[in-house]
Amino acid sequence: MSTTVPPVLPISTTTVAAAGSIESQSQPPIATPAFRAFINHITDTVRNGLSQRRPWAELADRSAFAKPESFSDATVRVRKNYSYFRVNYLAVVASIVAVSLFTHPFSLVVLLGLLAAWLFLYLFRPSDQPLVIFGRTFSDTQTLLGLVALSVFVVFLTSVGSVLISALMVGVAVVLVHGAIRVPEDLFLDDQDTSASTGFLSFLNGAASNVAAATAPAMAAARG
């Protein structure tokens, strides 16, 4: 008695691969590796920057406060104290801006919404997933121009801009006053690295450059 062998059906992994691809593309932007890498690099940059701060007790040492003898003396003090306390000063300005935003919840919510729009609608949105709003599809160029226009409107045509500018002016004023009345000491002036960049902008530019360089591959993968 002969037995009939059932035919062997071919097994294809195309459907499985396609399903896996669709699943990976359907991930929300916040769960993508590019976004996690971006957050990790931001956290590492902030942590490394704060590790370079000077002791807060040294910053607030009242025995080192004295009235400058002249405007040129105050200018020299501010320059030297910038060089030594630049991370502390940046933390002070950031804290003042944060307090100002928390006391103005509307401005805080608007800024967070603007940041989320940039991250999820442009930076970390896969290029093969066009932006669709109310049934209309927007290209990357249209999305970028729209976000730029929205940023200009939020910063310059709402109360958000005035809140930020006021907080920054208060923070800079506090830093300038402290830098002018804080007498530089030869001990810490000799201790500082003369090759290091000075000022807030150089510190921010260095941190921004490090983050941009570190996250560029991840962001390119998200866009590609």
Side-chain angles (χ1 to χ4, degrees):
M1 179 178 181
S2 61
T3 58
T4 303
V5 179
V8 179
L9 297 178
I11 300 176
S12 175
T13 58
T14 304
T15 305
V16 178
S21 176
I22 295 174
E23 182 180 357
S24 62
Q25 293 178 3
S26 63
Q27 280 186 324
I30 197 173
T32 59
F35 182 78
R36 291 196 297 266
F38 176 77
I39 295 299
N40 290 336
H41 285 298
I42 287 289
T43 304
D44 293 340
T45 300
V46 173
R47 186 183 298 110
N48 293 335
L50 291 178
S51 66
Q52 302 174 13
R53 71 185 184 277
R54 304 298 181 177
W56 291 104
E58 188 175 1
L59 181 75
D61 184 10
R62 293 189 298 176
S63 63
F65 292 161
K67 183 179 178 181
E69 298 178 356
S70 62
F71 179 77
S72 60
D73 182 32
T75 303
V76 172
R77 289 185 182 184
V78 169
R79 180 177 59 82
K80 292 181 178 180
N81 284 320
Y82 265 173
S83 177
Y84 188 73
F85 291 114
R86 61 182 181 274
V87 177
N88 301 74
Y89 285 157
L90 180 61
V92 169
V93 173
S95 299
I96 292 175
V97 172
V99 170
S100 178
L101 288 175
F102 277 111
T103 55
H104 296 81
F106 173 77
S107 299
L108 178 61
V109 171
V110 170
L111 279 180
L112 291 178
L114 181 62
L115 177 61
W118 273 101
L119 291 178
F120 302 137
L121 298 183
Y122 186 76
L123 294 178
F124 297 105
R125 178 178 55 83
S127 59
D128 57 349
Q129 295 183 5
L131 179 64
V132 180
I133 299 179
F134 298 116
R136 180 179 178 181
T137 302
F138 295 88
S139 64
D140 285 347
T141 302
Q142 292 173 329
T143 304
L144 177 61
L145 293 177
L147 288 173
V148 170
L150 178 62
S151 301
V152 172
F153 174 80
V154 167
V155 174
F156 296 102
L157 299 180
T158 66
S159 61
V160 175
S162 61
V163 170
L164 289 177
I165 293 175
S166 301
L168 288 174
M169 290 179 62
V170 171
V172 171
V174 171
V175 169
L176 291 177
V177 170
H178 180 274
I181 65 176
R182 178 64 162 80
V183 180
E185 300 173 357
D186 294 337
L187 177 62
F188 72 70
L189 290 179
D190 293 338
D191 178 68
Q192 65 179 321
D193 184 6
T194 56
S195 64
S197 58
T198 59
F200 291 130
L201 294 180
S202 59
F203 177 81
L204 287 174
N205 288 336
S209 300
N210 293 335
V211 172
T215 58
M219 292 174 62
R223 301 293 302 163

